[in-house]
Amino acid sequence: KADSMQPLTSAFDEVGIPYVVTAGKGFYEAREVSDLMNLLRVLANPRDEISLAAVLRSPLVGASDETLFRLKPSGGLAGANLADGDLGDFGQELSSWREARHFVPADRLLIRAMDRSGFESRLGPRERANIEKFLTVVREAGARQSLDDLVDELERLRESDPREQD
């Protein structure tokens, strides 16, 4: 079971022993990659409530379940005023990233979001390497297509090769 690998991988990371996991979650299913993928989905589609909730609960924002509950008006989470609650400046920053998505590369927007939250500072070496790999994929694919097309391509990659090595 993938969960039983966690103590071993943590121990290897702690003492700096390199390793490769050949079974378990694929690259695109790794938590840190999934968090960044959800942010790309939210930037591409402001009405994607599931991805927005995932971003809000992720280390990128760190909202509590109670905050999500308070934010969700009868019209749905996508219509919520993200300036409310305990989100700091996230709602305003998300709006500026959505506007900038037309002229700022997607990998740069992800870096801004990670810098704002200190996302990488809480991660181990393997997770940081996954982020670097994901940013490279986003940079290369995003250079030749729109954000919407990039999100679609990343979804196809995730579905076609779930065992992509992290």
mmCIF file of all heavy atoms in Angstrom, residues 87-140:
data_model
loop_
_atom_site.group_PDB
_atom_site.id
_atom_site.type_symbol
_atom_site.label_atom_id
_atom_site.label_comp_id
_atom_site.label_asym_id
_atom_site.label_seq_id
_atom_site.Cartn_x
_atom_site.Cartn_y
_atom_site.Cartn_z
ATOM 1 N N LEU A 87 -8.448 34.749 4.659
ATOM 2 C CA LEU A 87 -7.600 34.448 3.502
ATOM 3 C C LEU A 87 -6.556 35.510 3.221
ATOM 4 O O LEU A 87 -5.816 35.394 2.253
ATOM 5 C CB LEU A 87 -8.474 34.242 2.256
ATOM 6 C CG LEU A 87 -9.559 33.173 2.373
ATOM 7 C CD1 LEU A 87 -10.348 33.081 1.082
ATOM 8 C CD2 LEU A 87 -8.959 31.829 2.734
ATOM 9 N N GLY A 88 -6.501 36.537 4.029
ATOM 10 C CA GLY A 88 -5.530 37.606 3.778
ATOM 11 C C GLY A 88 -5.801 38.261 2.432
ATOM 12 O O GLY A 88 -6.938 38.560 2.099
ATOM 13 N N ASP A 89 -4.752 38.451 1.646
ATOM 14 C CA ASP A 89 -4.880 39.106 0.350
ATOM 15 C C ASP A 89 -5.095 38.113 -0.797
ATOM 16 O O ASP A 89 -5.012 38.486 -1.954
ATOM 17 C CB ASP A 89 -3.610 39.909 0.043
ATOM 18 C CG ASP A 89 -3.411 41.050 1.026
ATOM 19 O OD1 ASP A 89 -4.421 41.553 1.554
ATOM 20 O OD2 ASP A 89 -2.252 41.427 1.264
ATOM 21 N N PHE A 90 -5.375 36.849 -0.480
ATOM 22 C CA PHE A 90 -5.435 35.838 -1.533
ATOM 23 C C PHE A 90 -6.470 36.167 -2.609
ATOM 24 O O PHE A 90 -6.195 36.027 -3.803
ATOM 25 C CB PHE A 90 -5.703 34.442 -0.969
ATOM 26 C CG PHE A 90 -5.803 33.408 -2.056
ATOM 27 C CD1 PHE A 90 -4.658 32.951 -2.685
ATOM 28 C CD2 PHE A 90 -7.031 32.929 -2.471
ATOM 29 C CE1 PHE A 90 -4.736 32.030 -3.716
ATOM 30 C CE2 PHE A 90 -7.124 32.001 -3.494
ATOM 31 C CZ PHE A 90 -5.973 31.550 -4.116
ATOM 32 N N GLY A 91 -7.663 36.595 -2.217
ATOM 33 C CA GLY A 91 -8.708 36.895 -3.199
ATOM 34 C C GLY A 91 -8.267 37.962 -4.191
ATOM 35 O O GLY A 91 -8.458 37.823 -5.400
ATOM 36 N N GLN A 92 -7.645 39.009 -3.680
ATOM 37 C CA GLN A 92 -7.157 40.091 -4.539
ATOM 38 C C GLN A 92 -6.022 39.593 -5.438
ATOM 39 O O GLN A 92 -5.973 39.907 -6.627
ATOM 40 C CB GLN A 92 -6.680 41.251 -3.665
ATOM 41 C CG GLN A 92 -6.206 42.451 -4.442
ATOM 42 C CD GLN A 92 -5.785 43.577 -3.493
ATOM 43 O OE1 GLN A 92 -6.038 43.535 -2.301
ATOM 44 N NE2 GLN A 92 -5.137 44.576 -4.056
ATOM 45 N N GLU A 93 -5.127 38.799 -4.873
ATOM 46 C CA GLU A 93 -4.013 38.271 -5.661
ATOM 47 C C GLU A 93 -4.509 37.320 -6.742
ATOM 48 O O GLU A 93 -4.030 37.345 -7.870
ATOM 49 C CB GLU A 93 -2.994 37.581 -4.761
ATOM 50 C CG GLU A 93 -2.243 38.579 -3.901
ATOM 51 C CD GLU A 93 -1.345 37.923 -2.872
ATOM 52 O OE1 GLU A 93 -1.452 36.698 -2.653
ATOM 53 O OE2 GLU A 93 -0.530 38.646 -2.285
ATOM 54 N N LEU A 94 -5.489 36.479 -6.417
ATOM 55 C CA LEU A 94 -6.049 35.562 -7.402
ATOM 56 C C LEU A 94 -6.650 36.339 -8.572
ATOM 57 O O LEU A 94 -6.440 35.987 -9.732
ATOM 58 C CB LEU A 94 -7.103 34.652 -6.758
ATOM 59 C CG LEU A 94 -7.773 33.637 -7.679
ATOM 60 C CD1 LEU A 94 -6.750 32.681 -8.277
ATOM 61 C CD2 LEU A 94 -8.848 32.868 -6.917
ATOM 62 N N SER A 95 -7.343 37.418 -8.267
ATOM 63 C CA SER A 95 -7.909 38.255 -9.336
ATOM 64 C C SER A 95 -6.810 38.837 -10.218
ATOM 65 O O SER A 95 -6.934 38.853 -11.447
ATOM 66 C CB SER A 95 -8.733 39.403 -8.745
ATOM 67 O OG SER A 95 -9.868 38.895 -8.104
ATOM 68 N N SER A 96 -5.729 39.289 -9.604
ATOM 69 C CA SER A 96 -4.637 39.877 -10.403
ATOM 70 C C SER A 96 -3.944 38.796 -11.240
ATOM 71 O O SER A 96 -3.546 39.048 -12.379
ATOM 72 C CB SER A 96 -3.642 40.632 -9.531
ATOM 73 O OG SER A 96 -2.868 39.745 -8.769
ATOM 74 N N TRP A 97 -3.822 37.574 -10.701
ATOM 75 C CA TRP A 97 -3.212 36.483 -11.478
ATOM 76 C C TRP A 97 -4.099 36.108 -12.657
ATOM 77 O O TRP A 97 -3.613 35.814 -13.741
ATOM 78 C CB TRP A 97 -2.962 35.253 -10.613
ATOM 79 C CG TRP A 97 -2.018 35.479 -9.475
ATOM 80 C CD1 TRP A 97 -1.011 36.410 -9.410
ATOM 81 C CD2 TRP A 97 -1.992 34.775 -8.237
ATOM 82 N NE1 TRP A 97 -0.370 36.323 -8.193
ATOM 83 C CE2 TRP A 97 -0.943 35.326 -7.465
ATOM 84 C CE3 TRP A 97 -2.742 33.741 -7.698
ATOM 85 C CZ2 TRP A 97 -0.641 34.878 -6.189
ATOM 86 C CZ3 TRP A 97 -2.448 33.279 -6.430
ATOM 87 C CH2 TRP A 97 -1.396 33.848 -5.684
ATOM 88 N N ARG A 98 -5.422 36.125 -12.429
ATOM 89 C CA ARG A 98 -6.354 35.808 -13.529
ATOM 90 C C ARG A 98 -6.235 36.832 -14.644
ATOM 91 O O ARG A 98 -6.294 36.488 -15.818
ATOM 92 C CB ARG A 98 -7.786 35.758 -13.004
ATOM 93 C CG ARG A 98 -8.097 34.469 -12.294
ATOM 94 C CD ARG A 98 -9.532 34.448 -11.822
ATOM 95 N NE ARG A 98 -9.854 33.164 -11.227
ATOM 96 C CZ ARG A 98 -10.717 33.003 -10.241
ATOM 97 N NH1 ARG A 98 -11.363 34.044 -9.748
ATOM 98 N NH2 ARG A 98 -10.953 31.804 -9.758
ATOM 99 N N GLU A 99 -6.102 38.101 -14.283
ATOM 100 C CA GLU A 99 -5.928 39.148 -15.303
ATOM 101 C C GLU A 99 -4.581 38.998 -16.002
ATOM 102 O O GLU A 99 -4.475 39.165 -17.208
ATOM 103 C CB GLU A 99 -6.046 40.529 -14.660
ATOM 104 C CG GLU A 99 -7.444 40.866 -14.202
ATOM 105 C CD GLU A 99 -7.500 42.164 -13.420
ATOM 106 O OE1 GLU A 99 -6.605 43.018 -13.591
ATOM 107 O OE2 GLU A 99 -8.451 42.314 -12.627
ATOM 108 N N ALA A 100 -3.542 38.669 -15.246
ATOM 109 C CA ALA A 100 -2.187 38.575 -15.791
ATOM 110 C C ALA A 100 -1.980 37.320 -16.643
ATOM 111 O O ALA A 100 -1.025 37.251 -17.422
ATOM 112 C CB ALA A 100 -1.167 38.592 -14.650
ATOM 113 N N ARG A 101 -2.855 36.339 -16.535
ATOM 114 C CA ARG A 101 -2.657 35.075 -17.239
ATOM 115 C C ARG A 101 -2.553 35.230 -18.748
ATOM 116 O O ARG A 101 -2.018 34.356 -19.419
ATOM 117 C CB ARG A 101 -3.760 34.078 -16.881
ATOM 118 C CG ARG A 101 -5.079 34.361 -17.557
ATOM 119 C CD ARG A 101 -6.168 33.438 -17.014
ATOM 120 N NE ARG A 101 -7.398 33.602 -17.748
ATOM 121 C CZ ARG A 101 -7.867 32.711 -18.599
ATOM 122 N NH1 ARG A 101 -7.229 31.597 -18.820
ATOM 123 N NH2 ARG A 101 -9.004 32.936 -19.218
ATOM 124 N N HIS A 102 -3.043 36.338 -19.269
ATOM 125 C CA HIS A 102 -2.999 36.564 -20.716
ATOM 126 C C HIS A 102 -1.631 37.036 -21.194
ATOM 127 O O HIS A 102 -1.325 36.945 -22.374
ATOM 128 C CB HIS A 102 -4.081 37.562 -21.133
ATOM 129 C CG HIS A 102 -5.462 37.083 -20.795
ATOM 130 N ND1 HIS A 102 -6.055 36.018 -21.415
ATOM 131 C CD2 HIS A 102 -6.346 37.509 -19.859
ATOM 132 C CE1 HIS A 102 -7.256 35.807 -20.905
ATOM 133 N NE2 HIS A 102 -7.446 36.699 -19.953
ATOM 134 N N PHE A 103 -0.808 37.548 -20.283
ATOM 135 C CA PHE A 103 0.502 38.051 -20.708
ATOM 136 C C PHE A 103 1.666 37.610 -19.816
ATOM 137 O O PHE A 103 2.814 37.930 -20.108
ATOM 138 C CB PHE A 103 0.477 39.580 -20.845
ATOM 139 C CG PHE A 103 -0.027 40.307 -19.628
ATOM 140 C CD1 PHE A 103 0.827 40.685 -18.615
ATOM 141 C CD2 PHE A 103 -1.380 40.608 -19.508
ATOM 142 C CE1 PHE A 103 0.372 41.343 -17.500
ATOM 143 C CE2 PHE A 103 -1.855 41.268 -18.380
ATOM 144 C CZ PHE A 103 -0.981 41.637 -17.374
ATOM 145 N N VAL A 104 1.390 36.885 -18.735
ATOM 146 C CA VAL A 104 2.446 36.345 -17.868
ATOM 147 C C VAL A 104 2.410 34.823 -18.009
ATOM 148 O O VAL A 104 1.345 34.225 -17.897
ATOM 149 C CB VAL A 104 2.218 36.748 -16.392
ATOM 150 C CG1 VAL A 104 3.241 36.092 -15.481
ATOM 151 C CG2 VAL A 104 2.266 38.268 -16.244
ATOM 152 N N PRO A 105 3.568 34.197 -18.263
ATOM 153 C CA PRO A 105 3.587 32.735 -18.404
ATOM 154 C C PRO A 105 3.054 32.029 -17.149
ATOM 155 O O PRO A 105 3.244 32.501 -16.018
ATOM 156 C CB PRO A 105 5.072 32.405 -18.609
ATOM 157 C CG PRO A 105 5.700 33.682 -19.073
ATOM 158 C CD PRO A 105 4.897 34.789 -18.452
ATOM 159 N N ALA A 106 2.401 30.894 -17.362
ATOM 160 C CA ALA A 106 1.768 30.150 -16.271
ATOM 161 C C ALA A 106 2.768 29.747 -15.192
ATOM 162 O O ALA A 106 2.448 29.789 -13.998
ATOM 163 C CB ALA A 106 1.055 28.922 -16.825
ATOM 164 N N ASP A 107 3.980 29.360 -15.597
ATOM 165 C CA ASP A 107 4.961 28.960 -14.582
ATOM 166 C C ASP A 107 5.308 30.135 -13.667
ATOM 167 O O ASP A 107 5.524 29.962 -12.474
ATOM 168 C CB ASP A 107 6.219 28.359 -15.221
ATOM 169 C CG ASP A 107 6.986 29.335 -16.077
ATOM 170 O OD1 ASP A 107 6.396 29.910 -17.022
ATOM 171 O OD2 ASP A 107 8.195 29.518 -15.829
ATOM 172 N N ARG A 108 5.334 31.356 -14.200
ATOM 173 C CA ARG A 108 5.625 32.538 -13.380
ATOM 174 C C ARG A 108 4.483 32.804 -12.391
ATOM 175 O O ARG A 108 4.708 33.229 -11.262
ATOM 176 C CB ARG A 108 5.849 33.793 -14.242
ATOM 177 C CG ARG A 108 6.927 33.684 -15.311
ATOM 178 C CD ARG A 108 8.301 33.245 -14.868
ATOM 179 N NE ARG A 108 8.947 34.074 -13.887
ATOM 180 C CZ ARG A 108 9.912 33.636 -13.056
ATOM 181 N NH1 ARG A 108 10.335 32.412 -13.111
ATOM 182 N NH2 ARG A 108 10.467 34.428 -12.197
ATOM 183 N N LEU A 109 3.245 32.573 -12.837
ATOM 184 C CA LEU A 109 2.108 32.755 -11.934
ATOM 185 C C LEU A 109 2.157 31.742 -10.791
ATOM 186 O O LEU A 109 1.878 32.083 -9.637
ATOM 187 C CB LEU A 109 0.791 32.633 -12.706
ATOM 188 C CG LEU A 109 0.520 33.727 -13.732
ATOM 189 C CD1 LEU A 109 -0.737 33.412 -14.527
ATOM 190 C CD2 LEU A 109 0.435 35.098 -13.082
ATOM 191 N N LEU A 110 2.536 30.510 -11.105
ATOM 192 C CA LEU A 110 2.668 29.494 -10.058
ATOM 193 C C LEU A 110 3.770 29.877 -9.069
ATOM 194 O O LEU A 110 3.599 29.718 -7.850
ATOM 195 C CB LEU A 110 2.974 28.125 -10.674
ATOM 196 C CG LEU A 110 1.854 27.480 -11.478
ATOM 197 C CD1 LEU A 110 2.336 26.183 -12.103
ATOM 198 C CD2 LEU A 110 0.611 27.254 -10.631
ATOM 199 N N ILE A 111 4.866 30.391 -9.581
ATOM 200 C CA ILE A 111 5.969 30.813 -8.706
ATOM 201 C C ILE A 111 5.513 31.951 -7.788
ATOM 202 O O ILE A 111 5.832 31.966 -6.599
ATOM 203 C CB ILE A 111 7.210 31.203 -9.544
ATOM 204 C CG1 ILE A 111 7.813 29.934 -10.166
ATOM 205 C CG2 ILE A 111 8.238 31.947 -8.697
ATOM 206 C CD1 ILE A 111 8.866 30.191 -11.228
ATOM 207 N N ARG A 112 4.742 32.891 -8.333
ATOM 208 C CA ARG A 112 4.217 33.981 -7.494
ATOM 209 C C ARG A 112 3.363 33.425 -6.363
ATOM 210 O O ARG A 112 3.463 33.866 -5.213
ATOM 211 C CB ARG A 112 3.376 34.944 -8.338
ATOM 212 C CG ARG A 112 4.170 35.807 -9.270
ATOM 213 C CD ARG A 112 3.269 36.736 -10.054
ATOM 214 N NE ARG A 112 4.021 37.415 -11.104
ATOM 215 C CZ ARG A 112 3.483 38.240 -11.979
ATOM 216 N NH1 ARG A 112 2.186 38.501 -11.940
ATOM 217 N NH2 ARG A 112 4.233 38.810 -12.897
ATOM 218 N N ALA A 113 2.495 32.464 -6.694
ATOM 219 C CA ALA A 113 1.614 31.877 -5.675
ATOM 220 C C ALA A 113 2.425 31.131 -4.616
ATOM 221 O O ALA A 113 2.125 31.223 -3.425
ATOM 222 C CB ALA A 113 0.605 30.940 -6.334
ATOM 223 N N MET A 114 3.446 30.406 -5.046
ATOM 224 C CA MET A 114 4.273 29.668 -4.084
ATOM 225 C C MET A 114 5.073 30.625 -3.209
ATOM 226 O O MET A 114 5.201 30.403 -1.999
ATOM 227 C CB MET A 114 5.212 28.699 -4.818
ATOM 228 C CG MET A 114 4.490 27.505 -5.402
ATOM 229 S SD MET A 114 5.610 26.249 -6.062
ATOM 230 C CE MET A 114 6.407 27.135 -7.393
ATOM 231 N N ASP A 115 5.607 31.685 -3.799
ATOM 232 C CA ASP A 115 6.374 32.666 -3.022
ATOM 233 C C ASP A 115 5.497 33.334 -1.976
ATOM 234 O O ASP A 115 5.928 33.557 -0.842
ATOM 235 C CB ASP A 115 6.977 33.731 -3.944
ATOM 236 C CG ASP A 115 8.156 33.213 -4.754
ATOM 237 O OD1 ASP A 115 8.649 32.098 -4.466
ATOM 238 O OD2 ASP A 115 8.575 33.922 -5.695
ATOM 239 N N ARG A 116 4.270 33.649 -2.345
ATOM 240 C CA ARG A 116 3.343 34.334 -1.454
ATOM 241 C C ARG A 116 3.052 33.502 -0.215
ATOM 242 O O ARG A 116 2.896 34.018 0.874
ATOM 243 C CB ARG A 116 2.080 34.638 -2.239
ATOM 244 C CG ARG A 116 0.860 34.663 -1.451
ATOM 245 C CD ARG A 116 -0.423 34.519 -2.193
ATOM 246 N NE ARG A 116 -1.429 34.964 -1.292
ATOM 247 C CZ ARG A 116 -1.908 34.232 -0.288
ATOM 248 N NH1 ARG A 116 -1.509 33.018 -0.080
ATOM 249 N NH2 ARG A 116 -2.810 34.727 0.526
ATOM 250 N N SER A 117 2.994 32.185 -0.386
ATOM 251 C CA SER A 117 2.586 31.315 0.717
ATOM 252 C C SER A 117 3.743 30.612 1.420
ATOM 253 O O SER A 117 3.530 29.955 2.435
ATOM 254 C CB SER A 117 1.629 30.246 0.179
ATOM 255 O OG SER A 117 2.295 29.394 -0.734
ATOM 256 N N GLY A 118 4.946 30.716 0.868
ATOM 257 C CA GLY A 118 6.060 29.949 1.424
ATOM 258 C C GLY A 118 5.890 28.462 1.182
ATOM 259 O O GLY A 118 6.387 27.629 1.934
ATOM 260 N N PHE A 119 5.186 28.127 0.126
ATOM 261 C CA PHE A 119 4.810 26.747 -0.210
ATOM 262 C C PHE A 119 5.997 25.788 -0.190
ATOM 263 O O PHE A 119 5.933 24.726 0.418
ATOM 264 C CB PHE A 119 4.152 26.767 -1.601
ATOM 265 C CG PHE A 119 3.595 25.462 -2.080
ATOM 266 C CD1 PHE A 119 2.451 24.924 -1.510
ATOM 267 C CD2 PHE A 119 4.181 24.777 -3.129
ATOM 268 C CE1 PHE A 119 1.911 23.736 -1.966
ATOM 269 C CE2 PHE A 119 3.652 23.583 -3.589
ATOM 270 C CZ PHE A 119 2.517 23.072 -3.007
ATOM 271 N N GLU A 120 7.079 26.152 -0.843
ATOM 272 C CA GLU A 120 8.224 25.239 -0.964
ATOM 273 C C GLU A 120 8.998 25.067 0.335
ATOM 274 O O GLU A 120 9.658 24.048 0.533
ATOM 275 C CB GLU A 120 9.184 25.719 -2.055
ATOM 276 C CG GLU A 120 8.677 25.467 -3.457
ATOM 277 C CD GLU A 120 9.712 25.823 -4.486
ATOM 278 O OE1 GLU A 120 9.808 27.013 -4.820
ATOM 279 O OE2 GLU A 120 10.423 24.904 -4.938
ATOM 280 N N SER A 121 8.913 26.037 1.228
ATOM 281 C CA SER A 121 9.712 25.973 2.457
ATOM 282 C C SER A 121 9.315 24.806 3.358
ATOM 283 O O SER A 121 10.103 24.363 4.180
ATOM 284 C CB SER A 121 9.601 27.293 3.228
ATOM 285 O OG SER A 121 8.279 27.484 3.689
ATOM 286 N N ARG A 122 8.097 24.294 3.180
ATOM 287 C CA ARG A 122 7.623 23.190 4.027
ATOM 288 C C ARG A 122 7.823 21.822 3.379
ATOM 289 O O ARG A 122 7.367 20.818 3.910
ATOM 290 C CB ARG A 122 6.134 23.385 4.319
ATOM 291 C CG ARG A 122 5.833 24.630 5.123
ATOM 292 C CD ARG A 122 4.355 24.730 5.432
ATOM 293 N NE ARG A 122 3.566 25.152 4.283
ATOM 294 C CZ ARG A 122 3.187 26.390 4.069
ATOM 295 N NH1 ARG A 122 3.526 27.332 4.900
ATOM 296 N NH2 ARG A 122 2.464 26.694 3.025
ATOM 297 N N LEU A 123 8.471 21.795 2.224
ATOM 298 C CA LEU A 123 8.590 20.552 1.464
ATOM 299 C C LEU A 123 9.982 19.941 1.563
ATOM 300 O O LEU A 123 10.965 20.652 1.765
ATOM 301 C CB LEU A 123 8.257 20.808 -0.003
ATOM 302 C CG LEU A 123 6.868 21.373 -0.292
ATOM 303 C CD1 LEU A 123 6.712 21.662 -1.775
ATOM 304 C CD2 LEU A 123 5.775 20.436 0.187
ATOM 305 N N GLY A 124 10.029 18.641 1.369
ATOM 306 C CA GLY A 124 11.301 17.925 1.343
ATOM 307 C C GLY A 124 11.933 17.972 -0.034
ATOM 308 O O GLY A 124 11.346 18.512 -0.984
ATOM 309 N N PRO A 125 13.109 17.391 -0.189
ATOM 310 C CA PRO A 125 13.831 17.448 -1.462
ATOM 311 C C PRO A 125 13.084 16.780 -2.623
ATOM 312 O O PRO A 125 13.111 17.287 -3.739
ATOM 313 C CB PRO A 125 15.148 16.731 -1.184
ATOM 314 C CG PRO A 125 15.068 16.167 0.185
ATOM 315 C CD PRO A 125 13.869 16.731 0.862
ATOM 316 N N ARG A 126 12.417 15.670 -2.364
ATOM 317 C CA ARG A 126 11.688 15.009 -3.448
ATOM 318 C C ARG A 126 10.522 15.876 -3.929
ATOM 319 O O ARG A 126 10.292 16.023 -5.126
ATOM 320 C CB ARG A 126 11.187 13.633 -3.004
ATOM 321 C CG ARG A 126 10.610 12.831 -4.177
ATOM 322 C CD ARG A 126 10.158 11.445 -3.770
ATOM 323 N NE ARG A 126 8.896 11.534 -3.067
ATOM 324 C CZ ARG A 126 8.647 11.061 -1.855
ATOM 325 N NH1 ARG A 126 9.572 10.428 -1.188
ATOM 326 N NH2 ARG A 126 7.469 11.203 -1.296
ATOM 327 N N GLU A 127 9.794 16.466 -2.994
ATOM 328 C CA GLU A 127 8.669 17.321 -3.359
ATOM 329 C C GLU A 127 9.145 18.558 -4.122
ATOM 330 O O GLU A 127 8.515 18.981 -5.084
ATOM 331 C CB GLU A 127 7.875 17.733 -2.107
ATOM 332 C CG GLU A 127 7.117 16.593 -1.467
ATOM 333 C CD GLU A 127 7.930 15.798 -0.462
ATOM 334 O OE1 GLU A 127 9.119 16.131 -0.214
ATOM 335 O OE2 GLU A 127 7.380 14.822 0.082
ATOM 336 N N ARG A 128 10.266 19.126 -3.694
ATOM 337 C CA ARG A 128 10.822 20.291 -4.409
ATOM 338 C C ARG A 128 11.242 19.908 -5.823
ATOM 339 O O ARG A 128 11.046 20.673 -6.771
ATOM 340 C CB ARG A 128 12.002 20.879 -3.645
ATOM 341 C CG ARG A 128 11.573 21.601 -2.404
ATOM 342 C CD ARG A 128 12.751 22.208 -1.685
ATOM 343 N NE ARG A 128 12.306 22.711 -0.392
ATOM 344 C CZ ARG A 128 13.021 23.477 0.370
ATOM 345 N NH1 ARG A 128 14.230 23.841 0.012
ATOM 346 N NH2 ARG A 128 12.542 23.897 1.522
ATOM 347 N N ALA A 129 11.821 18.719 -5.965
ATOM 348 C CA ALA A 129 12.205 18.244 -7.296
ATOM 349 C C ALA A 129 10.961 18.049 -8.160
ATOM 350 O O ALA A 129 10.971 18.368 -9.364
ATOM 351 C CB ALA A 129 13.001 16.946 -7.191
ATOM 352 N N ASN A 130 9.870 17.556 -7.572
ATOM 353 C CA ASN A 130 8.618 17.413 -8.316
ATOM 354 C C ASN A 130 8.106 18.770 -8.793
ATOM 355 O O ASN A 130 7.626 18.909 -9.920
ATOM 356 C CB ASN A 130 7.549 16.738 -7.457
ATOM 357 C CG ASN A 130 7.728 15.246 -7.350
ATOM 358 O OD1 ASN A 130 8.459 14.634 -8.128
ATOM 359 N ND2 ASN A 130 7.060 14.647 -6.380
ATOM 360 N N ILE A 131 8.217 19.772 -7.937
ATOM 361 C CA ILE A 131 7.775 21.115 -8.320
ATOM 362 C C ILE A 131 8.623 21.642 -9.477
ATOM 363 O O ILE A 131 8.096 22.202 -10.441
ATOM 364 C CB ILE A 131 7.817 22.074 -7.113
ATOM 365 C CG1 ILE A 131 6.686 21.727 -6.162
ATOM 366 C CG2 ILE A 131 7.722 23.526 -7.556
ATOM 367 C CD1 ILE A 131 6.710 22.489 -4.868
ATOM 368 N N GLU A 132 9.926 21.468 -9.387
ATOM 369 C CA GLU A 132 10.807 21.917 -10.475
ATOM 370 C C GLU A 132 10.454 21.219 -11.781
ATOM 371 O O GLU A 132 10.399 21.845 -12.839
ATOM 372 C CB GLU A 132 12.274 21.691 -10.119
ATOM 373 C CG GLU A 132 12.800 22.652 -9.083
ATOM 374 C CD GLU A 132 12.603 24.120 -9.463
ATOM 375 O OE1 GLU A 132 12.894 24.495 -10.619
ATOM 376 O OE2 GLU A 132 12.141 24.894 -8.607
ATOM 377 N N LYS A 133 10.207 19.913 -11.703
ATOM 378 C CA LYS A 133 9.833 19.156 -12.897
ATOM 379 C C LYS A 133 8.501 19.671 -13.450
ATOM 380 O O LYS A 133 8.361 19.873 -14.659
ATOM 381 C CB LYS A 133 9.729 17.665 -12.566
ATOM 382 C CG LYS A 133 9.312 16.806 -13.731
ATOM 383 C CD LYS A 133 9.278 15.336 -13.357
ATOM 384 C CE LYS A 133 8.805 14.486 -14.514
ATOM 385 N NZ LYS A 133 8.812 13.061 -14.183
ATOM 386 N N PHE A 134 7.528 19.895 -12.578
ATOM 387 C CA PHE A 134 6.228 20.388 -13.025
ATOM 388 C C PHE A 134 6.351 21.780 -13.642
ATOM 389 O O PHE A 134 5.766 22.052 -14.689
ATOM 390 C CB PHE A 134 5.232 20.400 -11.860
ATOM 391 C CG PHE A 134 3.838 20.763 -12.278
ATOM 392 C CD1 PHE A 134 3.082 19.891 -13.046
ATOM 393 C CD2 PHE A 134 3.280 21.964 -11.895
ATOM 394 C CE1 PHE A 134 1.789 20.224 -13.439
ATOM 395 C CE2 PHE A 134 1.988 22.313 -12.275
ATOM 396 C CZ PHE A 134 1.242 21.437 -13.049
ATOM 397 N N LEU A 135 7.126 22.665 -13.014
ATOM 398 C CA LEU A 135 7.319 24.004 -13.570
ATOM 399 C C LEU A 135 7.972 23.941 -14.949
ATOM 400 O O LEU A 135 7.633 24.729 -15.831
ATOM 401 C CB LEU A 135 8.148 24.875 -12.624
ATOM 402 C CG LEU A 135 7.451 25.308 -11.332
ATOM 403 C CD1 LEU A 135 8.431 26.049 -10.440
ATOM 404 C CD2 LEU A 135 6.222 26.152 -11.615
ATOM 405 N N THR A 136 8.903 23.002 -15.140
ATOM 406 C CA THR A 136 9.544 22.839 -16.452
ATOM 407 C C THR A 136 8.521 22.396 -17.482
ATOM 408 O O THR A 136 8.483 22.926 -18.602
ATOM 409 C CB THR A 136 10.707 21.824 -16.366
ATOM 410 O OG1 THR A 136 11.670 22.329 -15.440
ATOM 411 C CG2 THR A 136 11.356 21.604 -17.713
ATOM 412 N N VAL A 137 7.671 21.437 -17.128
ATOM 413 C CA VAL A 137 6.619 20.977 -18.048
ATOM 414 C C VAL A 137 5.688 22.143 -18.393
ATOM 415 O O VAL A 137 5.360 22.357 -19.566
ATOM 416 C CB VAL A 137 5.822 19.803 -17.422
ATOM 417 C CG1 VAL A 137 4.575 19.486 -18.233
ATOM 418 C CG2 VAL A 137 6.701 18.568 -17.290
ATOM 419 N N VAL A 138 5.276 22.900 -17.379
ATOM 420 C CA VAL A 138 4.373 24.034 -17.590
ATOM 421 C C VAL A 138 5.045 25.104 -18.457
ATOM 422 O O VAL A 138 4.432 25.653 -19.370
ATOM 423 C CB VAL A 138 3.908 24.626 -16.239
ATOM 424 C CG1 VAL A 138 3.204 25.957 -16.423
ATOM 425 C CG2 VAL A 138 3.019 23.628 -15.510
ATOM 426 N N ARG A 139 6.317 25.384 -18.187
ATOM 427 C CA ARG A 139 7.055 26.398 -18.956
ATOM 428 C C ARG A 139 7.142 26.001 -20.428
ATOM 429 O O ARG A 139 6.859 26.809 -21.313
ATOM 430 C CB ARG A 139 8.449 26.580 -18.365
ATOM 431 C CG ARG A 139 9.268 27.700 -18.971
ATOM 432 C CD ARG A 139 10.619 27.863 -18.259
ATOM 433 N NE ARG A 139 10.446 28.033 -16.825
ATOM 434 C CZ ARG A 139 10.817 27.140 -15.897
ATOM 435 N NH1 ARG A 139 11.425 26.017 -16.246
ATOM 436 N NH2 ARG A 139 10.619 27.375 -14.620
ATOM 437 N N GLU A 140 7.516 24.748 -20.673
ATOM 438 C CA GLU A 140 7.690 24.296 -22.059
ATOM 439 C C GLU A 140 6.360 24.214 -22.795
ATOM 440 O O GLU A 140 6.248 24.673 -23.935
ATOM 441 C CB GLU A 140 8.405 22.945 -22.075
ATOM 442 C CG GLU A 140 9.857 23.069 -21.641
ATOM 443 C CD GLU A 140 10.544 21.724 -21.434
ATOM 444 O OE1 GLU A 140 9.891 20.663 -21.595
ATOM 445 O OE2 GLU A 140 11.748 21.737 -21.105
#
